[in-house]
Each structure stands twice: as C-alpha cells, then as structure tokens.
C-alpha cells in the first residue's frame, strides 16, 4: 500500500512539473512578440530567428503538455499511450529550433574563434534532422507495432535508444564548442566591445549550462527505476522550458539593442544635419563685385 502511494506521489509530481513546463515557454513567446507589437512592428516578426523562437516555444509547450498527459495515463492505467509519439515530435522540433537558433546567433563568434569549429557546427546542424527522423520513426513504429509482440518493440526500442544517444553525444559536443567560443570571446575582446555579441555570449553560456544540466538529468533518468525516471523526465521538460526562455530573452535583448542603436544613429544624424545647417547660416555672404556699368 505504501509502495503504491509512493508511486502515485511520483506520478502526480511528474504531472504537475510537466504541466508547469508547458506554460513556461509561453513567456518566451509573449516576450518576443510583444517587443514587435510595442513598437508597432508586429507584422515584421516573420524573420528566421523569430520563427525559430516561436516554433521552439510552441513545441516545448506541446512537449510538456503531452508529457503531463502521458504521466497521468501511466498513473491510471500503468502503461504509456500513443501520446508518446507526439511527445517525441514536439521534443525533436524544439531541440532543432534550439540548435539552429543557437548556431545562427553564435555563428560570428564561432567563426572568429575557430573556422574548423564553425565548419563542424555547420555539419552537425545539417545532419541533425536526419538523426531526429530516425528517432521519430523508431518511436512511432515502436508504438504502432506494439501488438505484434515484444521482439518488434525491442528492435525499435534499441533503434530509438541508439539514435537518442548519438544525438545526445553530438549535442554535448556542439554545446561544448559554443561554450568554449563564448568564453574565449568574452576573455579576449581586444578592447572592442560589441553589445550584440556580448549579449549572445552571456546568454549563450547560460543556455549551454542549462543544456548540460538537461543531459545529466537524461542520463540519470536512464539509470533510475521506473517511477523515479518519470519524475526525472518531467525535470527534463522543465529544463528545456527554461532553456527556450533563455533564448527568448536573448532575442528580446538583441531586438532592444538594435532599436536603441537605431535611435542613437538617428539622433547623431539629426545632430550632424543641424550642425551643417547652422554652419551654412553663419557663413558670411560672398561680397558682390562693384559694377562698372553705369
């Protein structure tokens, strides 16, 4: 009886954490879009970086919601539901948005630090969708063919596990490269301060650290017993939600920095025009030559 109550407490906690995780990414979504709306530029939000943040936020929110539903069904029926397919789809889309956005923002910093590292990151970003497709297909087939027996389930479970490990390994390498480049950039700026690159580096370090923490929790979930692993899975939902929020705040800061820079440049141009006009007004008129014609 105590074991059953303990298991129910684990599942209830997992449901609550996952449900909260489905709400947190909406903060990132609202923050980014409100920055456009506040300046009357809501129609200009269709940039690639903004689309990645919006799509990533919605995907991670869906990941948290489907996780909460799945944990709830496991608590009731003792088995996973077909929502795990949508769960992995939401997760992979959110993961790709994170990787793609992080690389696009950090591309200049990585290129300045190491051209080889930049080329390696380009290859990883291009190869990631293929690896994720294997992950989605294996999870889908594992769920769809469950009625055929454990042999089919084990085959696709192993494929899913291998593809997840491969993606996890390359994500660790990718985040390590970004973290290394961010730290070097902040350490050796040669007196040249670029506000945008500083924002990218600082928030990039925070995002990489959160990504590493999610990886550690993922490894712990694979080694823990069933009910504890579900609780750790919900913490993965929470970690990815915070991660996408960090990127959303980065995007918001970059947007505001661009607006401030535009205002300053406009003010400087206005001052220079005033100085030019003032100079023209104060310039003494040319003296007319005396006319010799009577």
């Amino acid at each position: 009886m105590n074991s059953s109550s303990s298991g129910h407490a684990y599942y209830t906690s997992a449901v609550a954490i996952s449900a909260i995780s489905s709400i947190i990414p909406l903060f990132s979504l609202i923050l980014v879009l409100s920055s456009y709306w506040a300046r009357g530029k809501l129609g200009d939000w269709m940039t690639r970086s903004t689309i990645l943040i919006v799509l990533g936020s919605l995907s991670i929110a869906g990941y948290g919601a489907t996780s909460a539903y799945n944990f709830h069904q496991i608590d009731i029926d003792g088995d996973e539901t077909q929502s795990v397919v949508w769960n992995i789809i939401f997760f992979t889309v959110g993961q790709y948005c994170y990787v793609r956005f992080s690389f696009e923002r950090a591309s200049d910093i990585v290129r300045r630090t190491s051209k080889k590292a930049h080329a390696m990151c380009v290859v990883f970003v291009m190869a990631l969708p293929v690896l994720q497709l294997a992950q989605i297909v294996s999870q889908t087939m594992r769920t769809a063919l469950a009625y055929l027996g454990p042999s089919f389930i084990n085959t696709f479970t192993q494929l899913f596990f291998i593809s997840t490990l491969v993606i996890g390994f390359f994500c660790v390498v990718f985040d390590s490269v970004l973290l290394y480049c961010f730290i070097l950039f902040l350490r050796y700026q040669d007196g040249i301060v670029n506000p945008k690159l500083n924002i990218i580096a600082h928030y990039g370090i925070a995002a990489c650290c959160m990504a590493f923490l999610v990886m550690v929790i993922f490894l712990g979930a694979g080694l823990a017993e069933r009910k504890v692993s579900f609780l750790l899975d919900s913490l993965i939902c929470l970690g990815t939600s915070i991660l996408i929020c960090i990127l959303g705040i980065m995007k918001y800061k970059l947007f505001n920095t661009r607006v401030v820079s535009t205002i300053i440049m406009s003010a400087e141009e206005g001052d220079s025009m005033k100085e030019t006009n003032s100079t023209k007004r104060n310039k003494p008129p040319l003296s007319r030559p005396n006319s010799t014609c009577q």
Side-chain angles (χ1 to χ4, degrees):
M1 183 67 179
N2 291 334
S3 177
S4 177
S5 300
S6 176
H8 177 69
Y10 277 103
Y11 294 131
T12 302
S13 300
V15 170
I17 294 173
S18 300
I20 294 172
S21 302
S22 67
I23 299 174
I24 292 177
L26 300 180
F27 169 76
S28 174
L29 180 67
I30 295 171
L31 183 65
V32 172
L33 293 181
S34 65
S35 62
Y36 286 91
W37 179 80
R39 293 169 179 81
K41 297 182 178 181
L42 188 59
D44 298 337
W45 74 273
M46 293 288 287
T47 62
R48 184 162 56 187
S49 61
T50 306
I51 291 174
L52 288 172
I53 288 295
V54 171
L55 183 59
S57 299
L58 293 175
S59 298
I60 296 301
Y63 171 59
T66 52
S67 295
Y69 175 77
N70 191 45
F71 295 146
H72 176 67
Q73 291 300 117
I74 292 174
D75 187 25
I76 296 175
D77 302 331
D79 199 7
E80 294 180 340
T81 65
Q82 294 185 355
S83 64
V84 295
V85 176
W86 286 106
N87 184 257
I88 194 62
I89 291 175
F90 283 131
F91 177 78
T92 52
V93 172
Q95 184 184 49
Y96 178 77
C97 290
Y98 157 71
V99 170
R100 185 65 184 267
F101 179 86
S102 297
F103 178 68
E104 288 197 359
R105 295 292 90 184
S107 182
D108 289 339
I109 295 177
V110 177
R111 189 185 294 108
R112 293 183 183 188
T113 306
S114 172
K115 292 184 178 180
K116 291 183 178 180
H118 183 270
M120 184 177 66
C121 289
V122 170
V123 172
F124 171 68
V125 172
M126 294 176 62
L128 181 59
V130 178
L131 298 173
Q132 289 181 321
L133 182 61
Q135 196 178 27
I136 293 173
V137 169
S138 59
Q139 181 70 294
T140 303
M141 298 301 292
R142 185 175 76 92
T143 305
L145 301 179
Y147 66 91
L148 294 178
S151 60
F152 287 92
I153 296 177
N154 292 335
T155 300
F156 289 107
T157 299
Q158 290 175 358
L159 178 60
F160 175 77
F161 182 73
I162 292 172
S163 61
T164 302
L165 281 182
V166 172
I167 292 174
F169 171 76
F170 283 113
C171 281
V172 169
V173 175
F174 174 78
D175 288 323
S176 299
V177 170
L178 293 189
L179 183 61
Y180 172 75
C181 293
F182 289 147
I183 293 174
L184 281 186
F185 172 78
L186 292 175
R187 190 173 180 181
Y188 306 106
Q189 295 191 68
D190 297 330
I192 301 174
V193 178
N194 187 318
K196 288 188 177 181
L197 294 183
N198 273 346
I199 291 173
I200 292 171
H202 282 100
Y203 282 93
I205 290 174
C208 289
C209 291
M210 180 55 65
F212 286 136
L213 180 59
V214 170
M215 290 291 181
V216 172
I217 298 174
F218 174 78
L219 292 176
L223 299 175
E225 60 176 307
R226 191 168 188 261
K227 60 184 180 181
V228 177
S229 68
F230 288 131
L231 181 59
L232 293 177
D233 285 341
S234 67
L235 293 178
I236 294 175
C237 294
L238 182 61
T240 53
S241 297
I242 296 174
L243 181 58
I244 201 69
C245 277
I246 293 173
L247 298 185
I249 295 172
M250 178 199 293
K251 172 67 179 175
Y252 175 78
K253 292 283 188 178
L254 289 172
F255 183 84
N256 285 341
T257 301
R258 183 180 64 185
V259 171
V260 171
S261 300
T262 303
I263 293 174
I264 292 175
M265 290 178 62
S266 299
E268 290 176 349
E269 290 177 358
D271 291 340
S272 64
M273 290 181 65
K274 289 180 180 178
E275 291 177 0
T276 302
N277 294 333
S278 176
T279 303
K280 288 182 178 178
R281 286 195 301 267
N282 295 331
K283 186 176 181 180
L286 292 174
S287 60
R288 294 183 179 180
N290 294 328
S291 177
T292 58
C293 299
Q294 299 295 329

